[in-house]
Amino acid sequence: MTAERIPGAPARRRLVVVGSGIAGLYSALLAAEAGADVVLLSKGALADSNTFFAQGGISAVLDEPAPGDTVAAHITDTLKAGAGHCNEEAVRVLCTEARLDIMGLERFGVRFDTDDDGDPALGLEAAHSAPRILHTGGDATGAGVANALILTVLDAQDAGKIQVLGHVQATSLIQSEGRVTGVEFLRNGRFESVFGDAVLLATGGAGQLFAQTTNPSVATADGLALAWRAGAELADLEFFQFHPTSMVLPAAGGPTPLGADPLLISEAVRGEGAILVDANGKRFMPGYHPDAELAPRDVVSRSIALHLASLGDPNGHVFLDARVVEANKGEGFLEKRFPTLSARTREAGIDWTLEPVPVAPAAHYWMGGVVTDLHGRTSVPGLLAAGEVACTGVQGANRLASNSLLEGLVFGRRAVEGFLGWAPPNGGVTDSPVPSAPALRSHAGERLASSAAGVDLHATTALSGTTEPAGPLSWQPELVPEPFSRTALRRLMTAKAGVLRTGGLLREAVEALDAWVDVVLPENVPDSADPRVHEDANLLLAAQLLVQAAASRRGPLGAHYRSDAVETQREEIVQRYTTRRKASLVND
Ligand SMILES: Cc1cc2nc3c(=O)[nH]c(=O)nc-3n(C[C@H](O)[C@H](O)[C@H](O)COP(=O)(O)OP(=O)(O)OC[C@H]3O[C@@H](n4cnc5c(N)ncnc54)[C@H](O)[C@@H]3O)c2cc1C
């Protein structure tokens, strides 16, 4: 497909948008509204996205905020959650402009829940200092937002303003003279292409990198891999947020996620008194943190991972026992307080009033991604990125709850503004959100510097937030080398580069990943017409890049946790002793 222009008519600039989550749908609508020629590609149905599964809501300080709330407070909360790793200018933009895009969503048909006075009902979430979470359908915000935007996009399609290509998978970016000029994609087993003045990647995250994830099956790091192969800079890939309690279903060979039907079990259930127990029925959280099940999210994730590892089952699961809630608060309480979760667990064959629910920490949100400026521009001309695939620096080392849908909105709009020429043409002093970590540069065709020798094996900082019950890191069993499969990759990433990381585990991950690259060729675009083959290559490439970034960051920061402090301290003592002896020999 080429950009067809009617002879004599003024040329309309064409924006090719890849992805139909909040960032893609909203950007496509704004660009079409401004008169651009828009083509929207999505690899599944339009609703197949992380966005659809979002529960809590969207954070925003409105014109009439909750008493005492301010944009400055939202900025402070975001910076704090990001563990000092955020781009402050990007955070300021995010929080200041939020209200603009909430109005934008309403214009496109999203109806937020209201209180008895008809004002927006504002929820309070962890680490927010005031109620500022807008939601739809109670805890079904993603579905509410996605459905409204999809209907508006379909209307725009009927009006000839947006061309929607569903069930097509972008496989590579087309470049000419250093610019991205289009996208190659697979449709019904055949390669086709679409050209435009710019391509906006809005392909979301990559939860499918890990054995347990809250993300649906479309989250396979495609956009990140496409951008990397086109030479774009990436950053902050070591920061992946894990949610502690995602339901898993036991299957042959170990637990599997619900795949396209993930179920995140909200912290509120633990808030009501549910406890975590292991396969022996033993409650273990009090041994890890004084606040037990109510410890911060990342601490609970780490504790579960440590406990599973200490049992020799890093890919295993524990159980969330909510029976105690029902016993304490009366029969029918769970059904009344958590109707959606009650229904969803029942659908999965579990009556949580009678039996514990199998849960495990699950890959939830990737803070890192394709580096952009404040108008979605990547380091490659013609290539824009917005939403979870992008790294604007707003999420820092750890995302503040309900800030990711907002990021897709604010920076999706700004990307469109940049495309339309409303934004300053170059970075400019206030428009250059260079992430606070050095970006990973990619050069198409150059092999990844990920050999085991290149990986750092020593962490330097102490354990934080969790008490590690076992001594040294003798708890991770060897994973037997096996041929590449997506399942093997995901198990490897969970066991070696998931919630708990050490230099040794990361080195093992590198070795295992390196053993697969000659078979899967992650740096090349596969010439196969099988969409899954492309996803596998993208996942393997993303895994290599993540592990490389994780190995380079020696100490824990935000969601990146290096648990080898004990081991490291011992190694450091040995090293220091050895060095001194050598020095004294020279002096002698
Ligand atoms: C269970 C769950 C609950 C969450 N709750 C919240 C919440 O309450 N608040 C909040 O702010 N955030 C929440 N998040 C995070 C948030 O949902 C995501 O970060 C956000 O929706 C990402 O939006 P996006 O538009 O960038 O990507 P997505 O919504 O993931 O959309 C990506 C799109 O790209 C398409 N795509 C991918 N690869 C290709 C390809 N090769 N070719 C064509 N199309 C492709 C996909 O099919 C999809 O349509 C939650 C996430 C999950 C999983």
Side-chain angles (χ1 to χ4, degrees), residues 317-384:
H317 62 274
V318 295
F319 294 89
L320 184 72
D321 193 342
R323 290 174 299 185
V324 56
V325 179
E326 191 88 343
N328 288 342
K329 306 210 168 178
E331 202 181 325
F333 178 85
L334 285 171
E335 183 70 45
K336 198 160 163 235
R337 172 77 174 84
F338 303 109
T340 311
L341 286 174
S342 295
R344 294 283 306 278
T345 44
R346 224 177 3 251
E347 275 165 28
I350 296 165
D351 180 348
W352 68 339
T353 64
L354 299 177
E355 57 192 319
V357 184
V359 294
H364 189 49
Y365 180 86
W366 206 352
M367 272 71 72
V370 184
V371 175
T372 70
D373 72 4
L374 294 184
H375 284 92
R377 291 173 288 217
T378 71
S379 59
V380 179
L383 182 63
L384 307 167

Coordinates of all heavy atoms in Angstrom, one line a residue, residues 317-384:
H317 N 4.5 -21.1 42.4 CA 3.5 -20.1 42.8 C 3.2 -20.3 44.3 O 3.5 -21.4 44.9 CB 2.2 -20.2 42.0 CG 1.5 -21.5 42.1 ND1 1.9 -22.6 41.3 CD2 0.5 -22.0 42.9 CE1 1.1 -23.6 41.5 NE2 0.3 -23.3 42.5
V318 N 2.6 -19.3 44.9 CA 2.1 -19.4 46.3 C 0.5 -19.3 46.2 O 0.0 -19.4 45.1 CB 2.7 -18.4 47.2 CG1 4.2 -18.6 47.3 CG2 2.4 -17.0 46.7
F319 N -0.1 -19.1 47.3 CA -1.5 -19.1 47.3 C -2.0 -17.8 48.1 O -1.4 -17.5 49.2 CB -2.1 -20.3 48.0 CG -1.9 -21.6 47.2 CD1 -0.7 -22.3 47.4 CD2 -2.8 -22.0 46.2 CE1 -0.4 -23.4 46.7 CE2 -2.5 -23.1 45.5 CZ -1.3 -23.9 45.7
L320 N -3.0 -17.2 47.6 CA -3.7 -16.1 48.3 C -4.9 -16.7 49.0 O -5.8 -17.2 48.3 CB -4.1 -15.0 47.4 CG -4.7 -13.8 48.1 CD1 -3.6 -13.0 48.8 CD2 -5.4 -12.9 47.0
D321 N -4.9 -16.7 50.3 CA -6.0 -17.3 51.1 C -7.0 -16.3 51.5 O -6.7 -15.5 52.5 CB -5.4 -18.1 52.3 CG -6.5 -19.1 52.8 OD1 -7.7 -18.8 52.6 OD2 -6.1 -20.0 53.6
A322 N -8.1 -16.2 50.9 CA -9.1 -15.2 51.2 C -10.2 -15.8 52.1 O -11.1 -15.1 52.5 CB -9.7 -14.6 49.9
R323 N -10.1 -17.1 52.4 CA -11.1 -17.7 53.2 C -11.2 -17.0 54.6 O -12.3 -16.8 55.1 CB -10.8 -19.2 53.4 CG -10.9 -20.0 52.2 CD -10.5 -21.4 52.4 NE -9.1 -21.5 52.7 CZ -8.4 -22.6 52.9 NH1 -9.1 -23.8 52.7 NH2 -7.2 -22.6 53.2
V324 N -10.1 -16.5 55.1 CA -10.1 -15.9 56.4 C -10.9 -14.6 56.3 O -11.5 -14.2 57.3 CB -8.6 -15.6 56.8 CG1 -7.9 -14.8 55.8 CG2 -8.5 -15.0 58.1
V325 N -11.0 -13.9 55.2 CA -11.7 -12.7 55.0 C -13.2 -13.0 55.2 O -13.9 -12.4 56.0 CB -11.5 -12.1 53.6 CG1 -12.3 -10.8 53.5 CG2 -10.0 -11.8 53.4
E326 N -13.6 -14.1 54.5 CA -15.0 -14.5 54.6 C -15.4 -14.9 56.0 O -16.4 -14.6 56.5 CB -15.2 -15.6 53.6 CG -16.7 -16.0 53.3 CD -17.3 -15.2 52.2 OE1 -16.8 -14.2 51.8 OE2 -18.4 -15.7 51.7
A327 N -14.4 -15.6 56.6 CA -14.7 -16.1 58.0 C -14.8 -14.9 58.9 O -15.7 -14.9 59.8 CB -13.5 -17.0 58.4
N328 N -14.0 -13.9 58.8 CA -14.0 -12.7 59.7 C -15.1 -11.8 59.4 O -15.7 -11.1 60.3 CB -12.7 -12.0 59.6 CG -11.6 -12.8 60.3 OD1 -11.8 -13.7 61.1 ND2 -10.3 -12.4 60.0
K329 N -15.5 -11.6 58.1 CA -16.4 -10.5 57.8 C -17.8 -11.0 57.4 O -18.7 -10.2 57.1 CB -15.8 -9.7 56.7 CG -14.4 -9.2 57.0 CD -14.1 -7.9 56.4 CE -12.8 -7.4 57.0 NZ -12.2 -6.2 56.6
G330 N -18.0 -12.3 57.4 CA -19.3 -12.8 57.2 C -19.4 -13.4 55.8 O -18.8 -13.0 54.8
E331 N -20.3 -14.4 55.7 CA -20.6 -15.1 54.4 C -21.1 -14.1 53.4 O -21.9 -13.2 53.7 CB -21.6 -16.2 54.7 CG -21.5 -17.3 53.6 CD -22.5 -18.4 53.9 OE1 -22.8 -18.7 55.1 OE2 -23.1 -18.9 52.9
G332 N -20.6 -14.1 52.2 CA -21.1 -13.3 51.1 C -20.3 -12.0 51.0 O -20.4 -11.2 50.1
F333 N -19.3 -11.8 52.0 CA -18.6 -10.5 51.9 C -17.7 -10.4 50.6 O -17.7 -9.4 50.0 CB -17.7 -10.4 53.2 CG -16.8 -9.2 53.1 CD1 -17.3 -8.0 53.6 CD2 -15.5 -9.2 52.6 CE1 -16.5 -6.8 53.6 CE2 -14.7 -8.0 52.6 CZ -15.2 -6.8 53.0
L334 N -17.0 -11.5 50.3 CA -16.1 -11.4 49.1 C -16.9 -11.1 47.9 O -16.5 -10.3 47.0 CB -15.4 -12.8 49.0 CG -14.2 -13.0 50.0 CD1 -13.7 -14.4 49.8 CD2 -13.1 -12.0 49.7
E335 N -18.1 -11.8 47.7 CA -18.9 -11.6 46.5 C -19.3 -10.1 46.4 O -19.3 -9.5 45.4 CB -20.1 -12.5 46.6 CG -21.1 -12.4 45.5 CD -20.5 -13.1 44.2 OE1 -19.9 -14.2 44.3 OE2 -20.6 -12.5 43.1
K336 N -19.7 -9.5 47.6 CA -20.2 -8.2 47.6 C -19.1 -7.1 47.4 O -19.2 -6.2 46.6 CB -20.9 -7.9 49.0 CG -21.8 -6.7 49.0 CD -22.8 -6.8 50.2 CE -23.4 -5.4 50.4 NZ -23.2 -4.9 51.7
R337 N -18.0 -7.4 48.0 CA -16.9 -6.4 48.0 C -16.1 -6.5 46.7 O -15.6 -5.5 46.1 CB -16.0 -6.6 49.2 CG -14.7 -5.8 49.2 CD -14.9 -4.4 49.6 NE -13.6 -3.7 49.8 CZ -12.9 -3.2 48.8 NH1 -13.4 -3.2 47.5 NH2 -11.7 -2.6 49.0
F338 N -15.9 -7.7 46.2 CA -15.1 -8.0 45.0 C -15.9 -8.8 43.9 O -15.6 -9.9 43.6 CB -13.8 -8.7 45.3 CG -13.0 -8.0 46.3 CD1 -12.9 -8.5 47.6 CD2 -12.3 -6.9 46.0 CE1 -12.1 -7.9 48.6 CE2 -11.5 -6.2 47.0 CZ -11.4 -6.7 48.3
P339 N -17.0 -8.2 43.4 CA -17.8 -9.0 42.5 C -17.1 -9.4 41.2 O -17.2 -10.6 40.8 CB -18.9 -8.0 42.1 CG -18.4 -6.6 42.5 CD -17.5 -6.8 43.6
T340 N -16.2 -8.6 40.6 CA -15.5 -9.0 39.4 C -14.5 -10.1 39.7 O -14.5 -11.1 39.0 CB -14.7 -7.8 38.8 OG1 -15.6 -6.7 38.8 CG2 -14.2 -8.1 37.4
L341 N -13.7 -9.9 40.8 CA -12.8 -11.0 41.1 C -13.5 -12.3 41.5 O -13.0 -13.4 41.2 CB -11.9 -10.5 42.3 CG -10.8 -9.5 41.9 CD1 -10.1 -9.0 43.2 CD2 -9.8 -10.0 40.9
S342 N -14.6 -12.2 42.2 CA -15.3 -13.4 42.5 C -15.8 -14.1 41.3 O -15.6 -15.4 41.1 CB -16.6 -13.1 43.4 OG -16.2 -12.5 44.6
A343 N -16.3 -13.3 40.3 CA -16.8 -14.0 39.1 C -15.6 -14.6 38.3 O -15.7 -15.7 37.8 CB -17.5 -12.9 38.2
R344 N -14.5 -13.8 38.2 CA -13.3 -14.3 37.4 C -12.7 -15.5 38.0 O -12.2 -16.4 37.3 CB -12.3 -13.1 37.2 CG -12.8 -11.9 36.4 CD -12.9 -12.2 34.9 NE -11.6 -12.6 34.4 CZ -10.6 -11.9 34.0 NH1 -10.7 -10.6 34.2 NH2 -9.4 -12.4 33.6
T345 N -12.5 -15.5 39.3 CA -11.9 -16.7 39.9 C -12.9 -17.9 39.7 O -12.4 -19.0 39.4 CB -11.6 -16.5 41.4 OG1 -12.8 -15.9 42.0 CG2 -10.4 -15.7 41.7
R346 N -14.2 -17.7 39.8 CA -15.1 -18.8 39.6 C -15.0 -19.3 38.2 O -15.0 -20.5 37.9 CB -16.5 -18.2 39.8 CG -17.4 -19.2 40.7 CD -18.8 -18.7 41.0 NE -19.2 -17.4 40.5 CZ -19.4 -16.3 41.3 NH1 -19.1 -16.4 42.6 NH2 -19.8 -15.2 40.8
E347 N -14.9 -18.4 37.2 CA -14.7 -18.8 35.8 C -13.5 -19.7 35.7 O -13.5 -20.6 34.8 CB -14.5 -17.6 34.9 CG -15.7 -16.9 34.4 CD -15.4 -15.5 33.9 OE1 -14.3 -15.3 33.4 OE2 -16.3 -14.6 34.0
A348 N -12.5 -19.4 36.5 CA -11.2 -20.2 36.4 C -11.4 -21.5 37.2 O -10.4 -22.2 37.3 CB -10.1 -19.4 36.9
G349 N -12.5 -21.7 37.7 CA -12.8 -23.0 38.5 C -12.4 -23.0 39.9 O -12.2 -24.0 40.6
I350 N -12.2 -21.7 40.5 CA -11.8 -21.6 41.9 C -12.9 -20.9 42.7 O -13.2 -19.7 42.3 CB -10.5 -20.9 42.0 CG1 -9.4 -21.7 41.3 CG2 -10.1 -20.6 43.4 CD1 -8.1 -20.9 41.0
D351 N -13.4 -21.5 43.7 CA -14.3 -20.8 44.6 C -13.5 -20.3 45.8 O -13.1 -21.0 46.7 CB -15.4 -21.8 45.1 CG -16.3 -21.1 46.1 OD1 -16.0 -20.0 46.5 OD2 -17.4 -21.7 46.4
W352 N -13.1 -19.0 45.7 CA -12.2 -18.5 46.7 C -12.8 -18.3 48.1 O -12.0 -18.0 49.0 CB -11.5 -17.2 46.2 CG -12.3 -16.0 46.0 CD1 -13.7 -15.9 45.9 CD2 -11.8 -14.6 46.0 NE1 -14.0 -14.6 45.8 CE2 -12.9 -13.8 45.8 CE3 -10.5 -14.1 46.0 CZ2 -12.8 -12.4 45.7 CZ3 -10.4 -12.7 45.9 CH2 -11.5 -11.9 45.8
T353 N -14.0 -18.6 48.2 CA -14.6 -18.6 49.6 C -14.2 -20.0 50.3 O -14.3 -20.1 51.5 CB -16.1 -18.4 49.6 OG1 -16.7 -19.5 49.0 CG2 -16.5 -17.1 49.0
L354 N -13.9 -20.9 49.4 CA -13.6 -22.3 49.9 C -12.2 -22.7 49.8 O -11.7 -23.7 50.5 CB -14.5 -23.3 49.2 CG -16.0 -23.1 49.4 CD1 -16.8 -24.2 48.5 CD2 -16.4 -23.2 50.9
E355 N -11.4 -22.1 48.8 CA -10.1 -22.6 48.6 C -9.2 -21.4 48.2 O -9.6 -20.4 47.7 CB -10.0 -23.6 47.4 CG -10.6 -23.1 46.1 CD -10.9 -24.1 45.1 OE1 -10.1 -25.0 44.9 OE2 -12.0 -24.0 44.4
P356 N -7.8 -21.6 48.5 CA -6.9 -20.5 48.2 C -6.7 -20.4 46.7 O -6.8 -21.4 46.0 CB -5.6 -20.9 48.9 CG -5.8 -22.3 49.3 CD -7.2 -22.7 49.2
V357 N -6.3 -19.2 46.3 CA -6.1 -18.9 44.8 C -4.6 -19.0 44.5 O -3.8 -18.3 45.2 CB -6.6 -17.5 44.5 CG1 -6.5 -17.3 43.0 CG2 -8.0 -17.3 45.0
P358 N -4.2 -19.8 43.5 CA -2.7 -19.8 43.2 C -2.3 -18.4 42.6 O -3.0 -17.9 41.6 CB -2.6 -20.9 42.2 CG -4.0 -21.2 41.7 CD -5.0 -20.7 42.7
V359 N -1.3 -17.8 43.1 CA -0.8 -16.5 42.6 C 0.7 -16.5 42.6 O 1.4 -17.3 43.2 CB -1.3 -15.3 43.5 CG1 -2.8 -15.2 43.5 CG2 -0.8 -15.5 45.0
A360 N 1.2 -15.6 41.7 CA 2.7 -15.4 41.7 C 2.9 -14.0 41.2 O 2.1 -13.4 40.6 CB 3.3 -16.4 40.7
P361 N 4.1 -13.5 41.5 CA 4.5 -12.1 41.0 C 4.5 -12.2 39.5 O 4.9 -13.2 38.9 CB 5.9 -11.9 41.5 CG 6.1 -12.8 42.7 CD 5.2 -14.0 42.4
A362 N 4.0 -11.2 38.9 CA 3.8 -11.2 37.4 C 4.3 -9.9 36.8 O 4.1 -8.8 37.3 CB 2.3 -11.3 37.1
A363 N 5.0 -10.0 35.7 CA 5.5 -8.9 35.0 C 4.3 -8.0 34.6 O 3.4 -8.5 33.9 CB 6.3 -9.3 33.7
H364 N 4.4 -6.7 34.9 CA 3.3 -5.9 34.8 C 3.5 -4.7 33.9 O 2.7 -4.4 33.0 CB 2.9 -5.4 36.2 CG 1.6 -4.7 36.4 ND1 0.5 -5.2 35.9 CD2 1.3 -3.6 37.0 CE1 -0.5 -4.4 36.2 NE2 0.0 -3.4 36.8
Y365 N 4.6 -4.0 34.1 CA 4.8 -2.7 33.3 C 6.3 -2.5 33.1 O 7.1 -2.6 34.0 CB 4.2 -1.6 34.1 CG 4.3 -0.3 33.4 CD1 3.4 0.2 32.4 CD2 5.5 0.6 33.6 CE1 3.6 1.3 31.7 CE2 5.7 1.7 32.9 CZ 4.7 2.1 32.0 OH 4.9 3.3 31.3
W366 N 6.6 -2.1 31.9 CA 8.1 -1.9 31.6 C 8.3 -0.4 31.6 O 7.7 0.4 30.7 CB 8.4 -2.5 30.2 CG 9.9 -2.8 30.1 CD1 10.9 -2.5 31.0 CD2 10.5 -3.5 29.0 NE1 12.1 -3.0 30.5 CE2 11.9 -3.6 29.3 CE3 10.0 -4.1 27.8 CZ2 12.8 -4.3 28.5 CZ3 10.9 -4.7 27.0 CH2 12.3 -4.8 27.3
M367 N 9.1 0.1 32.5 CA 9.4 1.5 32.6 C 10.3 1.9 31.4 O 10.2 3.1 30.9 CB 10.1 1.8 33.9 CG 9.2 2.1 35.1 SD 8.3 0.7 35.7 CE 9.6 -0.2 36.5
G368 N 11.2 1.1 31.0 CA 12.1 1.4 29.9 C 11.5 1.3 28.5 O 10.3 0.9 28.4
G369 N 12.2 1.8 27.5 CA 11.7 1.7 26.2 C 12.5 2.5 25.2 O 13.7 2.8 25.4
V370 N 11.8 3.0 24.2 CA 12.4 3.7 23.1 C 12.5 5.2 23.6 O 11.5 5.8 23.9 CB 11.6 3.7 21.8 CG1 12.3 4.4 20.7 CG2 11.3 2.2 21.4
V371 N 13.7 5.7 23.6 CA 13.9 7.1 24.1 C 13.2 8.1 23.2 O 13.4 8.1 22.0 CB 15.4 7.4 24.1 CG1 15.7 8.9 24.5 CG2 16.1 6.5 25.1
T372 N 12.4 9.0 23.8 CA 11.8 10.1 23.0 C 12.0 11.4 23.7 O 12.3 11.4 24.9 CB 10.3 9.9 22.9 OG1 9.7 10.1 24.2 CG2 9.9 8.5 22.4
D373 N 11.9 12.5 23.0 CA 11.9 13.8 23.6 C 10.4 14.1 24.0 O 9.6 13.2 24.0 CB 12.4 14.8 22.6 CG 11.5 15.2 21.5 OD1 10.4 14.6 21.4 OD2 11.9 15.9 20.6
L374 N 10.2 15.3 24.4 CA 8.8 15.6 25.0 C 7.7 15.7 23.9 O 6.6 15.9 24.2 CB 8.9 17.0 25.7 CG 9.7 17.0 27.0 CD1 9.6 18.3 27.7 CD2 9.3 15.9 27.9
H375 N 8.1 15.5 22.6 CA 7.1 15.4 21.6 C 7.2 14.0 20.8 O 6.9 14.0 19.6 CB 7.2 16.6 20.6 CG 6.7 17.8 21.2 ND1 7.4 18.7 21.9 CD2 5.4 18.3 21.2 CE1 6.7 19.7 22.3 NE2 5.4 19.5 22.0
G376 N 7.6 13.0 21.6 CA 7.5 11.7 21.0 C 8.5 11.3 20.0 O 8.5 10.3 19.4
R377 N 9.5 12.3 19.7 CA 10.5 12.0 18.7 C 11.6 11.1 19.2 O 12.2 11.4 20.2 CB 11.0 13.4 18.2 CG 10.0 14.2 17.4 CD 10.5 15.5 17.0 NE 10.6 16.4 18.2 CZ 10.3 17.7 18.2 NH1 9.8 18.3 17.1 NH2 10.4 18.4 19.3
T378 N 11.9 10.1 18.4 CA 12.9 9.2 18.8 C 14.2 9.7 18.2 O 14.2 10.7 17.5 CB 12.7 7.8 18.3 OG1 12.9 7.8 16.8 CG2 11.3 7.3 18.6
S379 N 15.3 9.0 18.4 CA 16.6 9.4 17.8 C 16.6 9.1 16.3 O 17.6 9.5 15.6 CB 17.7 8.7 18.5 OG 17.6 7.3 18.3
V380 N 15.6 8.5 15.7 CA 15.6 8.2 14.3 C 14.6 9.1 13.6 O 13.4 9.1 14.0 CB 15.2 6.7 14.0 CG1 15.2 6.5 12.5 CG2 16.2 5.8 14.6
P381 N 15.0 10.0 12.7 CA 14.0 10.9 12.0 C 12.8 10.1 11.4 O 13.0 9.0 10.9 CB 14.8 11.5 10.9 CG 16.2 11.4 11.4 CD 16.3 10.2 12.1
G382 N 11.6 10.6 11.6 CA 10.4 10.0 11.0 C 9.8 9.0 12.0 O 8.7 8.5 11.7
L383 N 10.5 8.6 13.0 CA 10.0 7.6 14.0 C 9.6 8.3 15.3 O 10.4 8.9 16.0 CB 11.0 6.5 14.2 CG 10.5 5.4 15.2 CD1 9.4 4.6 14.5 CD2 11.7 4.4 15.5
L384 N 8.3 8.1 15.6 CA 7.8 8.6 16.9 C 7.4 7.4 17.8 O 7.2 6.4 17.2 CB 6.5 9.5 16.6 CG 6.7 10.6 15.6 CD1 5.3 11.2 15.2 CD2 7.5 11.7 16.2

